[in-house]
Every structure is written in C-alpha cells, then in structure tokens.
Amino acid sequence: MDWNPQTPQFMSQSFLDTLFPQPELRRHADEKLSYSADTPNYSLAVLRLVAEPSIDEQTRQLAAVNFKNHLKTRWVSSSDIHIPDGEKEKIRTLIVPVMLSATRKIQDELSEAIAVIGDHDFPEFWQALLPELESSLEMAINSNDFTSVNSILAIVCSLFKRFCCGFNSLFKKFRYQPKRNNIMLDLIYCSDNFATPLLSTVESISRKINAAAAVGSVATLRQLLEARRLCCRIFYSLNVLDVPEKFEDKADEWMNEFKNYLRERYPGIEDGGDADCVSLVDELRAAVCENISLYMDKKEELLQKHVSDFVEAVCSLLVAASASDRFTVTGVKLLSTVSKSVHHELFAGNDILQQIIQNIVIPNVMLRDEDEELFEKNYVQFIKRDMEGNDLDTRRRIVCELLKGIAGNYKEKITECVSTQIHNCLALFTENPTANWKYKECAIYLVVSLGSVSSNDVVDVESFFRSVIVPELQSKDVNGFPMLKAAALRFFTVFRVLIPKHVALPLLGEVVRYVGSDMNVVHSYAAISIEKLLIVKDEDDNGLQEGRYTSMDIHPIHEDLLYNLFDALEKASFLEENEYIVRCINRVLQMAVLSYGMVSHCIIYLTKALTRVCGRGPKTLVFNHFLFEAVATLAKRACQKNPSLVTDFRAFILRIFRRILGGKVRELYPYAFQLLAQLVVLNRPPLPPVYMEIFDDMLLGPALWEESANVPALVCLLQSFIHQAPDELLLNGKKRLASVVGKINKLVSSPDTEEEGFHLLNTVIESYEYGVIAEYMNHIWAPVLTRLQNSKTPRLVRCVIVFMSLFLVKHGVQTLVDSINSVKADLFHVILGEFWIPNLKTITGYMEAKLSAVASTKLLYESASLLDPAAEELWGKLLDAIVTLLLSLPLPKEERVEDEDEPDLTGYPGSRFVRLRNAGDKKEEDPLEEIQDPKQFFVAFPANLSSDFSGKFPVVITKHLSPPNQAALVKLCNSYNIALA
C-alpha cells in the first residue's frame, strides 16, 4: 500500500467504519481492511497513520490496535502471507520513535507490538534497539522529561512480558528459562549493553528525587518513583539466572541504592491520602526486597556488609500499620531467607524476636476486614486459602513461615515467645469473649500453622484441644462467631492424627451439628473434618495400616450426619456446588451400614442433586465427580448387603442414565456408562430385557465412540455385558458378538484406543470357549498384526504379549500357534522371535507379569521337542527372557484402600475419562488363580526337562543365558530345593 494524499483519509474512514453499530457496515469495513492488509507496505502505512499528528486520537488508537494485531499474525507466519524483510527493517527503525511521541493509550498498543517483534527478533535481528533506548533515555533524563523516561523504561519492561507471570519486563524472557546457551548469550548481550546505563539511570533518578522532594513536587516524585520501580524490575530480570559480571562489580553501588529506597520516606506521597501513590511506594519497596532475596540466593557473599541494614530497614517498615500486602509478603520472605542463612545471628537477640512477634507476626496473623468479607462472600476462595494451602503469599501464612525459619536455629526462644503470645491472646479473649474473639482465633491459627514443626513444643496439643477447641465445638450456637468456629474445626482437622480416638469420637456428634450451620465455610469445614477423620489409619501389631474408625464408631450418628449433609447440599448455590459436602457424603456412604429407609432417603437426595447437574451442565468439576462416586458407592454397599435393592437402583440409575443421554450432557456420558456397567454387574443373570435393549439400540453405534472420553467407559460397559450375559450375546446368530469383535478391531487399529481394545479382547478370550470365537480369530489377528508391522510401539507390543499369554493359558499352546499360523505359515515363530522374546522383560504389573511368565513357561515346556540345532537358540532366548522377567516380578497388589488417592481430573470435563473407583471396584480377576507362585511354577519345568533331556538342558543354559541369569536360575532352583541335572 503506497502512501499518498488519499491514503490517510481512506484508512481513517475504514477504521472508523469498524465501529458502526450495523453488522453489515462493520463487515464491509473489515473486508476492506483485510484486503488492504494483503498489500505490500500495509503495516508501514498503518504505523505512519498512528504517527500522523493531524489525525484524531480515536482513529490513531484504532490504527495502533490494528497494527499490533497485524504483526501478531504476520511477523512470523508459516503461510505465504507475511511481512517482507525490507518492510520489517523499516518498522524496527520507526516504531520506537513513534511510540515515544504517542499518547499513553497508543503506547500501550505499540508496546505489545514491540513485544511481538522482540519475541522473534531481539537481540539477534534488532541489535540497534538497546543503543536506541539508551540514547533516548539519557536525553530524556537530561531534559527532565520524566514522562518520556517512564515511556522508555516501559518499552523495556513490556517487550517480553509474555515470558513471565505478573511483571512486565524487557528481559523477562530470561526468567524461568533453562540455562541454554542461546538464552545465556542473549542475557550476556543485554547485561553488557544495558547494565551500565541502568545504573546511571537509577543514580540520576535518585538525585532528581532529592531535588523534587526538596521543593515538594509531588507529581514529579510520583513519576520518578515509577521510574525507580521499573528499573528494579529490569534489574531482577537481568540477574535472575546468574549475576552478570557488570552487576557483580557494581554490587555495592546497587545495594546502597536499594538501602536508600527502603529508608527514604515520602511525606507528600505516603501521607497524602492517595491510595495509588501509597501503592506505588509499596510496589517499589517490594521490588527491592525481591532483588535482595535474589542476591541472597545467588550471590550471598556480595551482601555481607549490607544484610544487617536491610533487615533493620525491612523490620522498621513492616512495623508500620500501613504496609501493603505486597510489601509485607516480599519483606517477610526476605527476612525468612536471612533467618535460614549464615546471617541468622541477626535474629538471636530476645529484643529482635520480641519485636518481630509482637509487631510483625501478631498484627499480620490477626483477622482483617478483607478476611471477613472473603469468608462471607467467597467461601470457596477462603477455604482454598485457609484450609488447602493456597495462601503461601498471604500475610498470615508468610509471617508463620518466618517463625519457622527462625526456629530452625532458635527453636527454644521462638517457642517461649510464641507460647507467651498465645497465652496473652487467650487471656484477652477470656476478659471479653464477644469483643476479643479474634484474639482466640489468632491463637488457634498460630498453633495450627506452627504445629507441623513443633506442635508439642509450642503447646501441648491434647491439652490445647481440650481447653480451647472443645468449648468452641460444644457451643450451642452453631452460627455464632463463625470464623472462630471455623478455626476450631480446622484445628480438629489438622491435628486429627494426634487427637486420640477416645477424645475425638465423642466430639463427632458435635461436629455433625456444624454440618447444619448456615455459614458455607463452617458447614464445609465440618464436612472436611469428618471426611478426613474417617480416613485416619493406625499401624497394627503386624505393621499393616488399618482404619482407626469403623462403621460401628459412626453408626450412632450416621443418619443425623447424612441428613445434615444432604440439607447442606440443598443450600449450595446453583452455580457453585459444594464439593466438600459431597466428598463427605461419599466417605460416609463407604463406611456406614444403612437401613432400607436411609438408602431410600439417599436415593431421593442424590436424584435431586443429579437432576440439578444434568440441568445446568458440568460447572463444578470435583463436585460432579464425587456426586457420581457417591451414587456408585451407595449402589455397591447397599446391594451387597441387600440384593433385593438392585431393583430400586435399576430404576434410579436408568432414570439418570436416560436424563443424561436424552439431555445430551456429553461431559457426563462417561459417568453414565460407568454407572450402567455397575448396574449390569449387580444384576444376577439372566439380565432383564431392558439391558439388552440398551445394548442393541445404542451401545455399539458409532456416535458414542467418537468421543475419546467415552471409550474407556463404553469398554467397561461392554465388559460387564460379556461377563454377566455371555449367552445373550450369542443369540440372533451371534450378531451381537460379531458386533463386539468389529468394535475390538476398530479400537485396536488406533494408537489412541489400542489399550481399551485389548482390554475388551481379553474379556472375550476369557469368557468364551475357543469353538465360539474361532471363526472370528482371523478377523482379530488382522488389525493386530497390521499394527505390529506398521507401528511397533512399546505399549502395543506389551498389549499383544499379554493378550497372547491369556489366549495360551485359556486355550492352549497349540491352539495359539495354529490360530496365528492360519494367517500365514510359520508366522508364530516370527512373532516369538521378533516380538515376544525381546519384549517379555518390559511387562509390568503383577498380574500381567505373572500371566506372561506362566504362559511363556508353558510355551517353553511344550516346545521342548524343538531342542534341535535349528530351534535351540530361540528356545534358549525364551528361557533367558523368562528369567529376566521373573527377577523383576513386582509384588502382588494389596487390596486397594478405597478412595485414598485423589482422582486425576486434569483436562476434565470432556477431554478425558475419569474412573469411578466404586463403580469398577471389583478385585482384579486372576486367570491363573490356581498358580500361587509363578517362580515355583517356572523352576519345576526345568527340573522335569533336565530329567527328560539329560545332559542337553544345562548346555542350553550355559550357551544362551547371560551369566547373571545363569546364576539367578541356579539360585532360584536352590530356593525351591530343585537341582538341575
């Protein structure tokens, strides 16, 4: 696009037309600009329009936005439409001067445009940038043009802002990056070219701040403080990987600057009542603390003579009540870093410790208005911060981390000081509980926060629990002083392992009352306390873990508890369901022995909750998962105790199943299929007709299988049908089984679904006699062998070995060999030599490894007649592979503890499958249950072989087994008192 007298008018009108309220006019304007964007020099024309002073501000701003977006798509583009190199060079030359001459809003857009260019070009293809910025910066400082000073520093600070969270900095691309050579070379270039100008800039700014302070120029001071803050951010970025030599040489100058930043006061700004000004000062001091902490971590020796001054300055600022959250967190983090370093003696004095605890710790642990507001208005965020540890950068948590850091070297002193403060807080509460309840909450918070380090030293937990916590839990008013009640419940949760059962159990009924509280945080904390308490485990005399609390322990309260939990579930807002309540419901259902009436009550309330979820769609992911888990748990436990309830659950689950599928709530399909699979398993054969109707009408149709998240659940459902109704699948001329085989072929043919395909195939092999499946075997082998030939991935090979091993132990060696060889003559030996033997050692998991080892042993024994010169090597390699597998055989799985681990909800909903543990909580079937010890089974065969083939077998061992495996085989035989002849 050429620039001529008509160009500004055409472009200006086009940009303004994009603001038309009529969609058709906007579309026409966008089309004109899109067409122009494909012409050469378009970006230069737009940049020139941005720089044209005769054009109105609104149009120039629209042009700046267009320019930025144009660069995003075309500066680096894989398509043929991109900005030519010559045009790029002109843009790099012009953009900084245009930016410096623009207004602030346009500067913001051009800053992002510079970031787009710099992401690809700086510094390799844009080495003129830093000298240009340095020259412009020096001129602006000398002319007292502080607006331009900040604009230039803002360019630097925004260029690479995408490489870091939270700060805008030219050199942010060097933060959080591995120390690759190219990154380090770029960093060296930047520090070599900008370290000296940066120091010169901060020294000049300091002189000008002194002059501005002397005349009381608040506006100028504000600009200069912002410049200081930007310089601190640049300093951090240039030092974040390693301290460059140019900074190391000038470390004293920098540290003296930073000390002044912490010591200086700005009465006109800090006391002027302007919140933005106060925030600016605190942001500057916070940036200084981060820089000092960085040097403490990377070059502590450079701070030797400055550390005590920094500690003194930071402590002085933290004592001030006006210190912001940002500065408080960074300042206390710096003190924590120092307390753990060789300079920890700075905290050795009783006076400094008393000052820190009285004037820094206690004021920052005390609840503030914003804490109470969060408690009332955003209970989820409050719990995540207070209970779940998302408060690492809050005042409360960080000051307690400081105490822990100091306690590392001065534990006794910290214990004495903190114990005194806790006592004082409780005494103040006793004087006036209504007015001073926050002091008691403060005491509880301190004990909980420090408990993981020295609970028995700060206070006696059981004594504190009895005297401080129990009275709160026994309070008749569950809604009074809710934050104090929440603190007591949190204490109960955190110290649940230390509180003896005989002390905790009588209080469970009290905690149940709090599930009925009107306050979201309180009834959530009560639910969390109960759920966590019920999974506490103790070690028995044999060293095994067993639950401390049993179904008998909760039997007296479980009905009241469930009623309260379901009532709390009803209180949950439409958009924010309470995951803590439903977690607790699931935990109680796992343990409680329910009456028929209580089961019916649970079904009613779970139906209501599921109906809400189906109506609004999945919004609270964890809630939805545990809601379906609770349904699965209830069905499993209730039907195990009373099989007649299967009919009730059939109506319940089928109603939900149809609602989910009828409403096309696709994210919930995997849960619906898992619940239906559980229902099929719970029904005793023969299955009611309704199940086979579902099987015929929808289960094998292609639509449901297109979603990857559905596949594992659908496979689970098919497996349940095969296990429970194998004969029904053979009716109608085996059409159902043929359809299943067709689905297996499709699953096995794709790398994304191959594992699920083999799971389904293994179920078919286990469930039917060979005569039933023989006609399908060539159709099964075709995709398996094709995949092996075209994409032999380790996972696929392991699946094939396990499948063939199962086939062998179920239907015999010769049947397996004949089945494979029917595809192609002597194909089995090729598979054995190229796939089975080399990869046998890769089988993991006890059941799979046991199955593969036993199958390989049977194959070894039944092919002993192959011990001729042509087959001896293959036979010997198989023997060696079996020994290798047995040497790494994992231990048998212990029976899984229900729901102990959190479900992995990454990517949920819709993009992946999440298993319901209690829906598929059947113990893994062992196809070789009669063989208890696969190692003993293995060594028995070589003993028999050695007698049948006297003198020949030891030769094979010597010739084909590796020396370590030879020794292992001898040791294995000796352990079972079997000798090889």
Side-chain angles (χ1 to χ4, degrees), residues 314-562:
V314 169
C315 285
S316 176
L317 289 170
L318 288 172
V319 168
S322 61
S324 69
D325 285 351
R326 175 101 167 84
F327 172 70
T328 298
V329 170
T330 55
V332 174
K333 278 185 177 180
L334 173 58
L335 296 182
S336 296
T337 301
V338 175
S339 73
K340 300 171 187 175
S341 71
V342 295
H343 304 282
H344 60 78
E345 70 276 358
L346 293 172
F347 300 93
N350 290 331
D351 292 342
I352 184 68
L353 288 179
Q354 202 67 29
Q355 179 188 5
I356 287 174
I357 293 174
Q358 284 186 352
N359 299 325
I360 297 176
V361 174
I362 297 299
N364 285 294
V365 169
M366 291 291 290
L367 289 170
R368 299 181 175 226
D369 291 343
E370 53 264 36
D371 298 319
E372 295 185 66
E373 183 177 358
L374 188 67
F375 182 93
E376 293 177 1
K377 295 184 177 180
N378 192 340
Y379 81 94
V380 174
Q381 186 61 31
F382 183 91
I383 293 172
K384 289 187 180 300
R385 281 177 46 176
D386 188 54
M387 180 70 87
E388 297 183 8
N390 289 6
D391 61 340
L392 290 178
D393 284 336
T394 62
R395 293 172 177 263
R396 303 191 96 193
R397 173 64 68 89
I398 204 67
V399 293
C400 289
E401 293 301 314
L402 171 60
L403 288 181
K404 292 178 184 179
I406 299 174
N409 292 292
Y410 307 103
K411 187 173 182 179
E412 292 183 0
K413 291 183 177 181
I414 285 292
T415 298
E416 181 182 353
C417 291
V418 172
S419 297
T420 300
Q421 290 300 321
I422 291 172
H423 176 78
N424 292 342
C425 286
L426 294 176
L428 286 170
F429 169 78
T430 303
E431 290 177 6
N432 190 340
T434 301
N436 295 338
W437 65 268
K438 288 184 181 180
Y439 285 98
K440 183 173 183 178
E441 196 278 343
C442 176
I444 296 172
Y445 187 90
L446 282 173
V447 175
V448 171
S449 298
L450 299 177
S452 59
V453 174
S454 54
S455 59
N456 292 324
D457 295 323
V458 175
V459 295
D460 178 85
V461 171
E462 188 170 346
S463 174
F464 188 88
F465 180 72
R466 290 179 184 277
S467 61
V468 178
I469 304 301
V470 171
E472 287 301 326
L473 297 181
Q474 292 177 336
S475 171
K476 293 181 179 181
D477 184 3
V478 296
N479 294 311
F481 300 105
M483 296 192 81
L484 188 53
K485 299 298 191 299
L489 289 166
R490 181 171 180 250
F491 184 100
F492 192 33
T493 304
V494 170
F495 291 107
R496 61 191 180 276
V497 176
L498 298 179
I499 299 171
K501 180 177 179 177
H502 72 274
V503 175
L505 192 58
L507 289 167
L508 262 182
E510 305 292 352
V511 179
V512 169
R513 291 189 304 113
Y514 285 95
V515 179
S517 169
D518 294 333
M519 300 300 297
N520 283 324
V521 174
V522 175
H523 64 235
S524 298
Y525 274 22
I528 293 170
S529 296
I530 293 169
E531 191 232 344
K532 299 298 184 186
L533 191 74
L534 295 183
I535 60 173
V536 172
K537 292 177 178 58
D538 294 317
E539 199 172 273
D540 63 16
D541 295 338
N542 298 319
L544 300 177
Q545 294 286 318
E546 61 178 11
R548 180 183 295 181
Y549 299 92
T550 67
S551 59
M552 294 302 296
D553 292 326
I554 67 168
H555 187 72
I557 61 167
H558 78 269
E559 291 196 359
D560 287 341
L561 173 55
L562 284 171

Side-chain angles (χ1 to χ4, degrees), residues 779-820:
H779 298 290
I780 291 172
W781 286 121
V784 172
L785 297 176
T786 300
R787 287 289 318 283
L788 277 178
Q789 184 177 4
N790 297 333
S791 55
K792 187 181 68 172
T793 64
R795 182 177 64 183
L796 174 66
V797 172
R798 289 195 296 270
C799 286
V800 172
I801 293 173
V802 172
F803 159 59
M804 290 193 297
S805 297
L806 180 64
F807 190 110
L808 186 152
V809 300
K810 285 293 182 181
H811 304 299
V813 173
Q814 196 58 50
T815 304
L816 174 65
V817 174
D818 292 344
S819 178
I820 295 177

